[in-house]
Structure formats: structure tokens, C-alpha cells
Amino acid sequence: MFYGTSQYDPVYIIAQIASIQAIFYITLGALFWLLVGPYASGLTLSYLFSSVWLQVGGWMVLLSSLGTAVVTAVSVAFIVERAKKCLDFSFTVHFIHIVASASYAGFPRRWEWWGVTGASFLITALLSEAICTRRELRDIPLGGTAHKRAPQAELTPLNTSGQAAGRSPASKGMAAINSVVGRAVNKSDAGRPSNSMGSKLANEQV
């Protein structure tokens, strides 16, 4: 989606972070509304940026946070598209969330909040890196298909007469005809007296 060059581009990096951060909060808010909403009288921003939601939702809050981590990991994998950068972007998203939470409702002091946030960070980093690694390995040709050897020229074996073996039937037929004709010519030449013998007999008769 946002695949670009490897050169340092601040605007490009900020656009990536903003996109992932928006997906993070949209997913978290939607899951809170679906899972925590039935147990709360009214959802406000305090449920996103404070530890108040821990006292209301319970396990539904945990499921919302873990579901948000999975969706964020997928978004990091498809936006960043580099396994070595997934850890940086995952940390940046959660660090911004910690700063926003501290600015809105004070520095979080509940260990449950830190536990859920830490679990979300680990899931986002590990899952996004695994997805990117799988996609990168899929683009590498395996099995040596990219470096196949060139087909070697086949050498035609020779038979005892020095002729190439494995000829076509037509070539074999022509060779047989030539052999028969050659033998017939040789026999006719053998039965015919040579010129020297003919001249010798003519002199004797004279």
C-alpha cells in the first residue's frame, strides 16, 4: 500500500504512523462499543485513554485490546511491508497511546493497564513481523528455478561403421538401398576383365 523507496522520507513515515494510529483507535473504539458498551452506562474518551474501563468491562476489555492488537498487526504488515521495521512502528503506536493516555487522564498507575498495553504491543510486533517475513519469503523463488542449467547438447553415438546411430527410418532405408546398389556394382566390376587383361589376350591371338 505505502511501499516506497528505502530513502529517508519524513513525510512518508509520518503518513504511515498516522494511518496505523488511526486504525488502532478506530478498532479499539469499535470493539469497546461492541463488547464493553452493554456493560457501561455511556462510553466516553476516558475508556480509551484511562484505566477506568478496567473496572467496568473486565474480560471484554481484554478481548477488545487483544483484538485491536491483531488488527493493528495486520495494518502494520500491509502498510510498512518490512519485517525489520515492524518492531519500530509497533512501539511507536503504543508509545503514542501511552503519551495520549498520560496527557488525558494522568500517568497510568494500574499494573493491569500496563499489562494489557504490554500484551498488545507484543502481539502487534510479533504478529506483524511474522506476516511480513512470510510475505518476503514468498517472493523468493525456491527450488533453484531461477538458476536452471542450460540443456547440454546431446552427443549422437556412432556405430562401428562410423555412422551416426539413432537415424530416422527413412535415413535407414536410404542407407540400405545405397549398400545394395554398391554391392551390385562391385560384383559387376569383379566379373568384367580389366583393360590390361583384355589387351594381353588380344596380343596373344595375334
Side-chain angles (χ1 to χ4, degrees), residues 84-143:
K84 63 181 180 180
K85 295 181 180 180
C86 290
L87 180 62
D88 297 336
F89 279 86
S90 300
F91 175 79
T92 302
V93 169
H94 288 83
F95 179 77
I96 292 175
H97 178 60
I98 293 173
V99 173
S101 300
S103 302
Y104 182 83
F107 189 80
R109 300 181 180 277
R110 296 178 63 92
W111 66 270
E112 297 92 342
W113 188 92
W114 288 103
V116 173
T117 304
S120 176
F121 164 69
L122 290 178
I123 293 175
T124 303
L126 296 178
L127 183 58
S128 61
E129 186 173 352
I131 296 174
C132 287
T133 302
R134 184 180 180 85
R135 294 183 66 189
E136 291 174 1
L137 292 178
R138 186 179 60 187
D139 297 336
I140 299 176
L142 300 177

Side-chain angles (χ1 to χ4, degrees), residues 50-102:
S50 68
S51 59
V52 176
W53 44 265
L54 291 171
Q55 304 173 0
V56 178
W59 286 101
M60 294 301 174
V61 172
L62 180 61
L63 291 177
S64 301
S65 300
L66 296 182
T68 302
V70 173
V71 175
T72 306
V74 175
S75 65
V76 170
F78 281 90
I79 292 176
V80 177
E81 294 185 334
R82 285 294 181 269
K84 63 181 180 180
K85 295 181 180 180
C86 290
L87 180 62
D88 297 336
F89 279 86
S90 300
F91 175 79
T92 302
V93 169
H94 288 83
F95 179 77
I96 292 175
H97 178 60
I98 293 173
V99 173
S101 300

Side-chain angles (χ1 to χ4, degrees), residues 3-25:
Y3 182 83
T5 61
S6 58
Q7 297 179 356
Y8 178 74
D9 188 356
V11 178
Y12 174 74
I13 295 175
I14 292 173
Q16 287 180 313
I17 295 174
S19 301
I20 299 171
Q21 199 75 40
I23 293 173
F24 175 83
Y25 283 121

